[in-house]
Amino acid sequence: MKLKTINVSGANQITKEEILAAGNINSNLKTWTIKDDEVKNNIKNKYNIFKDVSVKSTFPSKIEIKVEEYRLIAKNKKADGQLDIIMENGKIYNGDVRNNYNLPILENFKEDENKLKEVYKNLLELKQEILIQISEIINEDDGNLTIYMNDGQKIKVLRANFSNKLNYYDEISKYIEDKKNTTLNLINGAYLETAKSEKQRSQNIKNILARNGSDINNGDKEKSQNKEGNSSNDKNVTQNRSISPQNNNGLTNQTNKRRNT
């Protein structure tokens, strides 16, 4: 008997028609001619997005195909501007994207696999509701990341473990009123940076440097004054020493005069 019932489940990015075509399955096949393992391998070899594929044909006229796809986690922007779709296993997806769930775009990683692996690991540890809120992730020269959220919030994070803090973004964002004009710094603790606070911080640094510079100058001035004082004292000592022999000669002459008398 020919196939009458063909069931396909679990697919998201790949359509039922594409899966059946990859497995050479159609309604003209007779059940007894179908080799389940061969169908399974054909499907997996055609699309690398499938984590698992199971095929079960049963008499008299039924076949059931179940697939499990790898999650798509990001789009990596290459130097030429092309976007590679990254799966949860860190590999590039080779099929069409029908549901991208607002995947974050990774920029400025310069094909550095070690840095990308760190980011992939953290993306997998993010809650799905947080992941889909991320617009861009930019690799900075200082080794940290700048993340832009879809609500306009800019966030600074460590590349190695940013998922630990970013998973609480929904709770933190409730207390941020002006998301477009603030930066949420999650590198050391959690605090907001604004244009005003950055200006004040720069001024504080200038004040500290200016104060230290003033103290140094005062110290140098005091040292100079001490040197002058010491030089004056040395001069007085020298003068006293030069006077002493004269005084001694005067005393000697007076003594001799008395003796002669």
Side-chain angles (χ1 to χ4, degrees):
M1 294 187 63
K2 294 181 180 181
L3 284 175
K4 290 184 178 180
T5 304
I6 301 174
N7 294 329
V8 177
S9 61
N12 186 31
Q13 301 294 340
I14 311 299
T15 66
K16 176 182 178 179
E17 291 72 22
E18 288 172 333
I19 291 172
L20 294 178
N24 298 316
I25 300 297
N26 59 71
S27 57
N28 292 321
L29 287 176
K30 294 180 180 180
T31 309
W32 63 271
T33 64
I34 298 173
K35 296 179 180 179
D36 293 353
D37 287 342
E38 184 177 316
V39 174
K40 171 183 175 179
N41 292 332
N42 287 339
I43 295 172
K44 288 199 73 172
N45 291 336
K46 177 70 174 178
Y47 300 105
N48 68 345
I49 194 172
F50 292 129
K51 184 186 298 186
D52 187 42
V53 176
S54 66
V55 177
K56 186 178 181 180
S57 57
T58 56
F59 290 103
S61 57
K62 181 179 179 180
I63 186 169
E64 187 170 4
I65 301 174
K66 294 181 180 180
V67 299
E68 182 184 358
E69 295 180 353
Y70 287 110
R71 285 173 53 201
L72 304 183
I73 59 172
K75 297 177 182 179
N76 183 27
K77 189 174 184 179
K78 300 189 295 184
D80 60 3
Q82 295 295 316
L83 295 174
D84 285 337
I85 307 302
I86 308 301
M87 301 184 292
E88 64 179 281
N89 60 356
K91 295 183 178 180
I92 300 172
Y93 170 48
N94 63 2
D96 294 329
V97 179
R98 293 183 171 86
N99 300 293
N100 61 22
Y101 306 111
N102 298 317
L103 296 176
I105 297 175
L106 311 181
E107 295 189 42
N108 199 36
F109 283 88
K110 302 175 182 177
E111 313 302 325
D112 191 319
E113 290 300 322
N114 291 329
K115 292 179 181 178
L116 286 170
K117 284 180 181 178
E118 281 187 320
V119 174
Y120 298 157
K121 176 179 177 293
N122 278 272
L123 291 177
L124 286 173
E125 294 173 353
L126 282 177
K127 299 174 183 176
Q128 185 66 20
E129 58 267 29
I130 300 297
L131 179 63
I132 63 176
Q133 294 182 59
I134 300 175
S135 173
E136 297 172 83
I137 300 177
I138 301 174
N139 182 56
E140 303 292 356
D141 293 336
D142 60 5
N144 298 321
L145 302 177
T146 298
I147 296 178
Y148 290 92
M149 307 298 285
N150 290 326
D151 61 7
Q153 185 65 60
K154 178 181 176 182
I155 307 174
K156 292 180 181 180
V157 295
L158 292 171
R159 185 177 60 242
N161 58 356
F162 65 86
S163 61
N164 293 345
K165 293 181 180 179
L166 198 60
N167 268 328
Y168 296 97
Y169 178 70
D170 282 343
E171 299 174 44
I172 296 173
S173 66
K174 295 176 183 177
Y175 300 96
I176 305 176
E177 295 180 0
D178 190 1
K179 292 182 172 60
K180 294 184 178 180
N181 294 305
T182 59
T183 298
L184 176 59
N185 193 317
L186 298 179
I187 293 176
N188 295 312
Y191 61 92
L192 286 177
E193 296 176 356
T194 64
K196 183 177 180 180
S197 68
E198 286 300 289
K199 183 178 180 180
Q200 184 60 50
R201 185 171 69 170
S202 298
Q203 187 59 48
N204 290 340
I205 292 173
K206 289 180 181 179
N207 291 341
I208 291 171
L209 294 177
R211 186 168 64 250
N212 287 342
S214 176
D215 290 341
I216 290 171
N217 292 334
N218 289 338
D220 291 340
K221 187 176 180 180
E222 289 176 1
K223 288 179 181 179
S224 178
Q225 290 175 346
N226 289 336
K227 284 184 178 180
E228 291 178 0
N230 291 336
S231 176
S232 178
N233 291 336
D234 291 343
K235 187 176 181 180
N236 291 335
V237 170
T238 302
Q239 290 176 347
N240 290 336
R241 286 177 179 172
S242 63
I243 291 172
S244 295
Q246 294 176 359
N247 291 337
N248 290 338
N249 289 336
L251 292 173
T252 303
N253 291 335
Q254 290 179 1
T255 302
N256 291 335
K257 186 176 180 180
R258 288 173 183 171
R259 285 179 180 176
N260 292 332
T261 305

